Amino acid sequence: MRLFSLALFCLFSYSVYGTDKYAAPTCDILVQNGRVVDGSGNPWFYADIAIEDGKISAIGKRLPHIAVVKIDATGLIVSPGFIDIHSHSDINILKDGLAQSKIRQGVTTEILGEGGSAAPSTGVRAPRSLQIDEKIYRWSTFTEYFALVDKRTISVNVASYVGLSTIWECVMGNSFARPNETQFSEMERLIKIAMQQGALGLSSQVMMPPGSLATTNDLVRLATVVAPFGGLYSTHIRNEGLGVFASVKEAIAVGEQAGIPVDIIHIKIADESNWGRMNEVVQLIEAARLRGVDVQANVYPYTRGNNNLISIIPPWAHEGGTKRLLERLATPADRKQIHHDIINGTDDWYNHYTAVGGDWSRMLISGNHQFRGLTMDRVFMLRGNPTDKVNDLLSLLQENGGGISTVYAHHTEKDMNYVLQQSWCSVGSDGSAYAIDGPLRVGNPHPRNFGTFPRVLGKYVRQQKLLSLEDAVRKMTSLNANKVGLRDRGTIKIGFAADVVIFDAKAVIDRSTYTAPFAYPVGIPYVIVNGELTIENGKHTGARAGTSLRKITPLNTP
């Protein structure tokens, strides 16, 4: 019997390893001796990870694999690549596919298309175009946009929502007229096509036009289109200040009536009149979840937001686009009304000026402008310190073609910390891919573009202990993957895409600031994207292994 067992063993060894029964399995990359935080929220564990053909092929202690590349992760954390659920790299990723400020944070997938998306561009909306060097690229559909992304080659993966504002403009242009039935049907058709081409769901920005023109019933109608595709409704709510409670209720109502999940973008209370009431916002979400509404949210770990100085202009003045807005600023009667509305506000409008208490020092120019890095009070002083600062603001907008990117200090650390701790609140940057040199070093961008994810790990895990390491990683990986339906990412699991971040939990931190934003984080020595080493010893290898990701929809989808 013992001889028979030995014979079977020898036969098995030969069949598996060939003539050399001691031959070890092979892989492309072997990560050894690291503490694995797998993205599930479970406690960390020691393990090696083998990567082959872009996938995680084995997980275990002391794996015997022979690898082309070995990474000694002793003393380091090994986690899934971070998924940025709120990114604006739609165009920048085409300009420079290295995505330096994102990949160096450990971001391996960017979710694009908040409110306005790269596609479609049809109907009265002209096809998109972008000149890079001496070549002009054009696209009209998501199929064409994703093909262009892949052709240009990128270092991170990208996926996208279809944006409500984009759909609205395809049908209505710059008109503020109420859509008729035929026009709404066309919007539904365009959303369906976008979903068929791989969009993740419908994203709305209903704070400013054209998104703000949609009523709650309109949002429900259009969001219902994505339901058969397993899509979600991602929303920048209508009012984050005085109307924050009604706006959260509206977002919940859209998901509840359309029968789809909801993710509230960068949830915050952005008006000092309501500071300290985040617990009430959380109660609204928890109550909805108790009755079966799948509503969640994301947040960035900063207390300042980034918008355009033009957002101070009331919505009615935006009808007809920038050209008409500038004409109104030059018309005395319109200018007088705009001035009045900025000072006093209007119903159902989130007013950035009143949200910061009329404090110009809480507005910082972040665009590529002669005053970049300066607060508006200093700008007014340099321009002659006029008595009527609102009037000078309007003149400044006229001189700059209608808009200047601006950072607003309008919410609090206490509120942000409270919502960040909620189990359903994930992390998204609301940023874009920039770089410390080259074509993507422009303006004075918000530090979240460079530091969101390492800031969570360094400040809120290590320094403040607001989150456990495992929960923080979950909020940046599997929670986001599950929200948008990325089935093979966000977790360290055999068969999943090999998007992996290796970081030093004792050293990782952001270095970008509001006045000196162009600084990469530290403490993230390795990043792997689809099985290719993209950050090695803290430096970009030049690898462009990223790809466009399309949503996989149910088989019975129309």
Side-chain angles (χ1 to χ4, degrees), residues 18-32:
T19 55
D20 184 357
K21 65 181 180 181
Y22 298 110
T26 61
C27 64
D28 300 320
I29 299 176
L30 182 62
V31 181
Q32 298 176 299

Side-chain angles (χ1 to χ4, degrees), residues 369-396:
H369 189 270
Q370 62 173 323
F371 295 130
R372 65 180 179 270
L374 299 180
T375 53
M376 283 301 298
D377 59 327
R378 295 182 64 192
V379 171
F380 291 137
M381 187 176 295
L382 290 171
R383 287 171 59 86
N385 194 23
T387 302
D388 189 345
K389 293 182 173 59
V390 171
N391 189 58
D392 196 47
L393 164 73
L394 301 182
S395 297
L396 183 65

Side-chain angles (χ1 to χ4, degrees), residues 174 310 317-328 401-403:
N174 291 323
I310 204 172
H318 291 263
E319 182 174 8
T322 302
K323 180 180 178 181
R324 285 289 293 120
L325 185 147
L326 291 173
E327 290 173 358
R328 291 186 179 101

